[in-house]
Structures are given as structure tokens and as C-alpha cells.
Amino acid sequence: NMGKEKLVERLSWYYPLERFHTFVTVPFLIGFLIYYYGFEKTVLINSGLILCSAILYQGQLYWGIKLRKITGKEIDNDYYLKKFEKWTRTNPILLSSIVLTLPVHLILNEFKTDSFLFWGLFAHFFYVLEYVNYYQKQLMYDNINDFKYLLINRKLKKSSLLKDMQKRAF
């Protein structure tokens, strides 16, 4: 288990990085794609990137809450629990938007199966992986303690957010 100091140190860089990707990297990428390739070719990619931005927003908010809580700052626990519980229900509904954007993309691009289609599907798949990583099972293993857990238990950990939601406290 990661000590408090190490967790504060980790969240002190991880939270701003997630925030940066949410509010700068993904919007910039969407604008870049539309500018250079046009709206029609990038419909599916950009709908996936918008979903990714939504899930990254939730993740950066969670890590910000954890950082504030662990450093002794007050948070409105009930407010955030309700917010994340709502997102647990709405995220799969957001993913279902692919039933609209995929046909639109295919029609606008004369049913071409090119890299724009592939990257669009990949962006949606990445959204699913991030959803699982935040709300179900931890998929990102990036430190020795995570790898030890995986080797010893031979199963994925519950996500940190899921554990906090189950104990009803951040």
C-alpha cells in the first residue's frame, strides 16, 4: 500500500497532468483534426475524443478530490458521491452515441474503411478502457506495488474510485 507522502507526491503531478489532457490536449487535438482533415472525415474520431475528454474530466476531478482530502482539505463528500454515481449510469449511455456517429461517419465518408474509421473506433475503445479503469477494475499498473499485487493475487484490483464509492467516502 502506498504511503501518504508518496500518494501526495504522485497525485501532485498526476492530477494536473490529467487536468491538462482534459482541458488542453484533447480539445486541441479535436480542433487540429477538424482544421486539417475536415469535419466529415473526423466525425467518429472526434466523437470518441469528446467521450475521452468526458471520462478524463471525471478522472481528474476524482484525483483532485483525493489530493484535497489526503492533504486535509474539506470536500463535500455527499455532493461528489452523487456526481460519480450519476456518471456511473450515464457513461454507458454516452458510449451508445456510437450508434449515431458511426453510421454518420460511414455515410459522410462513402463507407470507406480507412484510418479515420480505425482511429475513431480506437478512440471509443479507449473511452471504454478508461471507464473500466475508473469505475470497475484498475487497468493501469505503473508502480512496483501494483505489479506485486497483480503477481501475488493474479487478478486486477478494484478501481480506487469504486472502492471509495462502495465505502461511501472519498
Side-chain angles (χ1 to χ4, degrees):
N1 206 355
M2 192 178 294
K4 181 180 176 180
E5 296 83 25
K6 282 206 177 277
L7 186 56
V8 168
E9 180 183 320
R10 182 175 179 173
L11 290 177
S12 293
W13 66 264
Y14 190 72
Y15 161 63
L17 184 63
E18 287 275 298
R19 193 168 174 80
F20 181 80
H21 290 318
T22 302
F23 293 108
V24 178
T25 307
V26 175
F28 174 80
L29 187 55
I30 291 169
F32 173 84
L33 289 168
I34 291 171
Y35 181 79
Y36 280 99
Y37 298 105
F39 177 79
E40 294 83 8
K41 286 188 176 194
T42 61
V43 166
L44 193 61
I45 294 171
N46 287 332
S47 69
L49 288 172
I50 290 167
L51 292 175
C52 288
S53 187
I55 200 79
L56 287 172
Y57 173 79
Q58 295 164 46
Q60 65 83 34
L61 181 63
Y62 173 67
W63 296 123
I65 292 166
K66 289 296 281 187
L67 182 58
R68 286 192 300 276
K69 182 84 174 198
I70 203 166
T71 55
K73 296 183 176 102
E74 286 290 316
I75 63 153
D76 186 341
N77 195 67
D78 291 336
Y79 171 78
Y80 288 115
L81 272 172
K82 287 177 186 158
K83 201 176 219 16
F84 284 104
E85 287 168 347
K86 183 178 95 178
W87 284 330
T88 302
R89 294 185 304 274
T90 59
N91 279 312
I93 295 166
L94 289 175
L95 178 61
S96 70
S97 68
I98 195 170
V99 301
L100 298 173
T101 55
L102 180 58
V104 167
H105 176 88
L106 289 170
I107 291 166
L108 290 174
N109 292 281
E110 300 169 345
F111 295 88
K112 290 180 191 156
T113 54
D114 58 11
S115 62
F116 291 102
L117 176 65
F118 168 77
W119 286 111
L121 293 173
F122 179 78
H124 285 79
F125 181 65
F126 185 77
Y127 169 78
V128 171
L129 291 176
E130 283 291 285
Y131 173 77
V132 170
N133 187 52
Y134 285 127
Y135 288 94
Q136 295 172 6
K137 295 286 185 179
Q138 181 180 331
L139 299 179
M140 185 162 167
Y141 288 77
D142 61 354
N143 64 61
I144 194 72
N145 291 328
D146 287 344
F147 286 112
K148 283 181 186 176
Y149 178 91
L150 197 55
L151 286 172
I152 292 168
N153 296 291
R154 299 185 186 270
K155 66 178 185 175
L156 298 174
K157 288 181 177 182
K158 274 186 188 179
S159 73
S160 181
L161 175 57
L162 178 61
K163 287 189 270 186
D164 285 347
M165 288 175 66
Q166 287 175 339
K167 68 180 182 183
R168 313 276 314 143
F170 290 104

